[in-house]
Amino acid sequence: MAKTPIKAVRPDQAEPVPGDRRRNREVKREAVLAAAVSAFNEKGFRAASLDDVAARLGVTKPTIYHYARNKDEILFDCVKRGLEIILEAIAALPQDKRLGRDRLEAAMTGYAFAMTQDFCRCVTRTADTDLAEPSRKEFRKLKRHIDDVMRGLVQAGMDDGSLRAGDARIVTFTLTGALNWIGRWYEPTGQLSRDAVTSGVVATLMAGLSSGV
Amino acid sequence: MAKTPIKAVRPDQAEPVPGDRRRNREVKREAVLAAAVSAFNEKGFRAASLDDVAARLGVTKPTIYHYARNKDEILFDCVKRGLEIILEAIAALPQDKRLGRDRLEAAMTGYAFAMTQDFCRCVTRTADTDLAEPSRKEFRKLKRHIDDVMRGLVQAGMDDGSLRAGDARIVTFTLTGALNWIGRWYEPTGQLSRDAVTSGVVATLMAGLSSGV
DNA sequence: ACGTTTCTATACTCGTGAGTAAGTTTAGAG
DNA sequence: CTCTAAACTTACTCACGAGTATAGAAACGT
């Protein structure tokens, strides 16, 4: 007997309209990714088995293969989703007219906030080596693109004088490092709120540690 | 036939004094750790097999078990070594008499420099979940201790007014994040020197991104 | 109602890598 | 020149987890 089919988890549209099978499938695939990203973040990609993921859904492993080709594809889709969230948060800034400093601050705020979410946390916890070759290259490419956007903002701010002069590469690595690291230590269940973390980190990076005395 | 025993790699004392077997053993164990940390950094702990490590030494897997209990112990010894390097670099600062800001800057400089070295890079690349239970707890404890020392310096600086006021926890995570991340992007073979990276990152964190204009 | 497709389960295969058993060579002690 | 312990080897075992073959149940189109 079929025990518990994947519950189409979506608070907003709890009643899976019986007219559309296509839609239902995507909702379920979504549920697979959500379960996977949570398992990966908790146990690490390699340590989390697909049996684990299936168990979280109240389902058996082969069912997962109905929604994804293999484990590699699942991880890739997770990190891709995370990278897209980050990219969305910063994509508009390069075209903005404000000072480089203000644009960078806006970008960092969006970036930092994004890092408190599951898919983005998965990005920082995932090493290139976890992915197999076709996806690994794409993963690198997407990360690289985000770094390039950030570096562009840094450079623009240095050019218009609103940011301290310096080696744009190193400065960018410094700030993306601090931002990415959020995904490693932030716990949604902890006592620090998303907003407190976001504004705290951004303020520290913008103003620096020294009081200037 | 015994092919190639572990070469006692140690430029400084290439001639393994034939009088002391004990010493030789430690030199070789050292070689095992060096090969392991390099394999782990390159392929990731889980993906790097002990056969890989053995191959790098021109030796077979069982030989490794002559120098270590198991894979877990090897990883733990690697990260422990890394954490000790970091700790040594910052341990003296809390007892120092200078302003908090200057002590923190000194600590960050040592920390950043440490992060360009193999054992420390292994620390940032290793997730708690890679270790089995006895070592995992110890690993967390050691990391925690380093964080505490850093936070203490931050707090001291805030107290004496040499550092900007703020939430010491968040500020500390921000800076250790940027420092730890060095271990993820820095490549010894790249064009950036250790010193350039160290001073660049520290300067950025101390002064902040904004030019203040 | 009926055949077809979708969804899910049970019950495998198969590769890989950690760890071991047992025997062989090497090197130092007497 | 032995004899013994240390250092390595070859040749396994064994568990675990990715992925598959096959079949049964549910849902949809007509």
Side-chain angles (χ1 to χ4, degrees):
Chain A
M1 78 196 127
K3 292 176 193 152
T4 320
I6 298 185
K7 328 126 202 172
V9 259
R10 266 279 184 92
D12 41 343
Q13 44 172 38
E15 279 308 312
V17 188
D20 199 348
R21 219 170 191 174
R22 192 73 151 292
R23 176 169 205 102
N24 234 288
R25 183 182 170 81
E26 312 227 314
V27 172
K28 290 187 183 178
R29 192 193 151 92
E30 210 64 28
V32 169
L33 290 188
V37 82
S38 135
F40 295 164
N41 284 342
E42 200 174 296
K43 306 183 141 196
F45 172 68
R46 236 95 184 186
S49 72
L50 288 188
D51 285 308
D52 283 339
V53 176
R56 282 166 195 249
L57 294 164
V59 150
T60 57
K61 187 168 56 173
T63 300
I64 290 183
Y65 283 87
H66 205 262
Y67 296 96
R69 243 192 201 76
N70 52 39
K71 201 184 179 190
D72 185 79
E73 184 185 278
I74 295 177
L75 176 60
F76 181 68
D77 280 3
C78 288
V79 296
K80 188 178 175 188
R81 179 89 40 121
L83 290 166
E84 281 166 356
I85 292 173
I86 298 173
L87 191 56
E88 269 172 42
I90 67 173
L93 279 317
Q95 288 83 40
D96 193 298
K97 302 291 184 195
R98 288 174 291 168
L99 277 177
R101 181 222 305 142
D102 299 327
R103 291 188 282 154
L104 180 63
E105 182 166 353
M108 293 194 334
T109 303
Y111 198 136
F113 190 80
M115 290 312 303
T116 60
Q117 292 166 60
D118 278 349
F119 285 109
C120 298
R121 291 166 71 214
C122 185
V123 173
T124 29
R125 287 153 193 258
T126 299
D128 301 4
T129 52
D130 286 335
L131 289 162
E133 203 29 86
S135 359
R136 190 189 310 187
K137 207 167 192 170
E138 182 70 10
F139 179 47
R140 280 218 183 91
K141 193 175 149 192
L142 291 170
K143 286 195 295 182
R144 176 67 189 264
H145 178 229
I146 288 177
D147 268 4
D148 285 345
V149 171
M150 294 301 285
R151 191 182 302 182
L153 290 171
V154 167
Q155 190 62 62
M158 287 179 176
D159 290 346
D160 71 18
S162 59
L163 294 180
R164 236 171 225 300
D167 182 316
R169 270 173 314 178
I170 295 183
V171 169
T172 307
F173 277 135
T174 305
L175 96 239
T176 53
L179 295 175
N180 287 331
W181 203 252
I182 293 174
R184 294 275 286 239
W185 59 267
Y186 176 76
E187 283 297 332
T189 57
Q191 60 271 68
L192 291 168
S193 75
R194 291 185 150 75
D195 292 311
V197 168
T198 300
S199 63
V201 172
V202 172
T204 302
L205 288 170
M206 289 303 295
L209 300 163
S210 172
S211 66
V213 177
Chain B
M1 79 197 126
K3 291 176 192 153
T4 320
I6 298 186
K7 328 126 201 168
V9 259
R10 267 278 184 94
D12 41 342
Q13 45 173 37
E15 280 308 313
V17 189
D20 200 350
R21 220 171 191 174
R22 192 74 152 292
R23 176 169 205 103
N24 233 286
R25 183 182 170 81
E26 313 229 313
V27 173
K28 291 189 182 177
R29 193 194 149 93
E30 210 63 30
V32 169
L33 289 189
V37 81
S38 136
F40 295 164
N41 285 341
E42 200 174 295
K43 306 184 143 196
F45 172 68
R46 237 93 187 186
S49 71
L50 288 186
D51 284 308
D52 282 339
V53 176
R56 283 167 194 249
L57 293 165
V59 150
T60 57
K61 186 169 56 173
T63 300
I64 290 183
Y65 283 87
H66 206 261
Y67 295 96
R69 242 189 201 77
N70 51 39
K71 203 185 177 190
D72 186 79
E73 184 184 279
I74 295 177
L75 176 60
F76 180 68
D77 280 2
C78 288
V79 296
K80 188 178 174 185
R81 179 89 40 123
L83 289 166
E84 281 167 357
I85 293 172
I86 297 173
L87 191 56
E88 268 172 44
I90 67 173
L93 280 315
Q95 288 82 40
D96 192 298
K97 302 289 183 196
R98 288 173 291 168
L99 276 177
R101 181 222 304 144
D102 298 327
R103 291 188 281 154
L104 180 63
E105 182 165 355
M108 293 193 336
T109 302
Y111 198 137
F113 189 79
M115 291 313 302
T116 61
Q117 293 167 59
D118 277 350
F119 285 109
C120 299
R121 291 167 70 215
C122 186
V123 173
T124 31
R125 287 154 193 258
T126 299
D128 300 5
T129 53
D130 286 335
L131 288 161
E133 203 29 88
S135 358
R136 189 189 310 186
K137 206 165 191 170
E138 182 70 10
F139 180 47
R140 281 219 183 90
K141 192 175 149 191
L142 293 169
K143 286 195 296 181
R144 176 68 188 264
H145 179 228
I146 288 178
D147 268 5
D148 285 346
V149 171
M150 294 301 285
R151 191 183 301 184
L153 291 171
V154 167
Q155 190 63 61
M158 287 180 177
D159 290 346
D160 71 17
S162 59
L163 294 181
R164 234 172 228 301
D167 182 315
R169 271 174 312 177
I170 295 183
V171 169
T172 307
F173 278 135
T174 304
L175 98 236
T176 53
L179 296 175
N180 286 332
W181 202 252
I182 293 173
R184 294 274 285 239
W185 59 266
Y186 176 77
E187 283 297 331
T189 58
Q191 60 271 69
L192 291 167
S193 76
R194 289 186 152 74
D195 293 311
V197 168
T198 298
S199 63
V201 172
V202 173
T204 302
L205 288 170
M206 289 304 294
L209 299 163
S210 174
S211 66
V213 176

